Amino acid sequence: VGIRQRYINEEDINRFGKYTPYGIGKEMYNHPLSLNLYGIHKNKETIIRKRKVMLVESEKATLQCESMFNSENFTLALCGSAKISLTQIRLLLDLNVNEVIIGLDKEFENVNDDNYKKWMNHLREKFIKPMLPYFNVYVLWDTKGLLDYKDSLCDKGRDVLLELMKNKIYVNEVL
């Protein structure tokens, strides 16, 4: 069991990071993030029924989707954007998932900047390649400028998220 906290004060975020393990005194309540998918306990039945999952970056995004979709929420948080682990892939296979939608935060400002290319390469290498042998993989990619830089796909509300989902991109081979 692990407990994480989210800082909201900019000074604290700059000093500690946005999400950190929670501690009381010298006792830290951290856990290996690559062994877990946040929200699996709550959204498991919907994911099994739909045979699909949307992977988001933060716990906050999973909770935002809970507010938007209630019992139809099929999101799980990776608790970061480094990569998907084999353990996380196994968790999805255990849920009999067929479709995975990658819905990570927008890490570029426009399609002409260096961050765009870096982010696309990162998604390909750390998320798409490892999942293609097991799942139908889709990516939510903001091509219409609906989100701001660093926004979660849920930050602008239900209508924007549904628009992004309507235009999800099917990835059937490594780009």
Side-chain angles (χ1 to χ4, degrees):
V1 173
I3 303 171
R4 289 170 39 96
Q5 61 188 352
R6 182 179 191 273
Y7 287 104
I8 55 174
N9 179 308
E10 278 302 318
E11 186 178 304
D12 291 335
I13 291 170
N14 292 333
R15 188 169 168 209
F16 303 112
K18 192 178 281 187
Y19 293 91
T20 62
Y22 180 74
I24 299 175
K26 293 182 181 181
E27 186 73 32
M28 296 302 293
Y29 296 96
N30 54 340
H31 65 292
L33 299 177
S34 65
L35 302 181
N36 187 30
L37 291 165
Y38 178 84
I40 199 166
H41 68 289
K42 180 92 166 122
N43 301 330
K44 179 179 181 177
E45 297 306 319
T46 303
I47 292 165
I48 290 170
R49 181 172 38 81
K50 290 181 175 279
R51 296 195 64 211
K52 71 178 177 178
V53 66
M54 182 168 68
L55 297 176
V56 294
E57 194 168 317
S58 70
E59 298 93 326
K60 179 190 85 166
T62 299
L63 294 171
Q64 286 172 315
C65 285
E66 179 72 24
S67 296
M68 293 179 209
F69 303 108
N70 300 311
S71 65
E72 292 300 305
N73 186 11
F74 59 93
T75 61
L76 298 176
L78 296 158
C79 302
S81 62
K83 69 176 190 165
I84 189 159
S85 71
L86 288 175
T87 300
Q88 290 167 325
I89 289 172
R90 284 188 195 107
L91 287 169
L92 297 175
L93 289 169
D94 288 346
L95 297 176
N96 204 25
V97 167
N98 179 47
E99 178 181 325
V100 174
I101 302 166
I102 302 169
L104 302 183
D105 295 2
K106 184 175 179 179
E107 294 295 334
F108 60 93
E109 293 191 59
N110 62 63
V111 295
N112 296 320
D113 69 20
D114 287 339
N115 287 339
Y116 177 86
K117 292 174 188 147
K118 286 181 194 173
W119 190 236
M120 186 179 280
N121 287 334
H122 179 75
L123 288 177
R124 180 181 57 240
E125 296 301 317
K126 302 299 183 180
F127 292 92
I128 294 169
K129 270 187 180 180
M131 288 193 288
L132 270 180
Y134 308 104
F135 310 108
N136 291 312
V137 178
Y138 295 83
V139 177
L140 297 187
W141 200 255
D142 180 21
T143 59
K144 297 180 179 181
L146 301 172
L147 302 172
D148 295 325
Y149 180 54
K150 297 284 188 180
D151 271 352
S152 156
L153 301 175
C154 309
D155 283 346
K156 299 290 191 221
R158 180 184 170 109
D159 291 342
V160 169
L161 177 58
L162 290 175
E163 178 70 19
L164 291 166
M165 289 178 76
K166 185 173 82 172
N167 295 305
K168 66 186 178 186
I169 300 166
Y170 178 57
V171 184
N172 60 356
E173 61 186 62
V174 176
L175 308 170

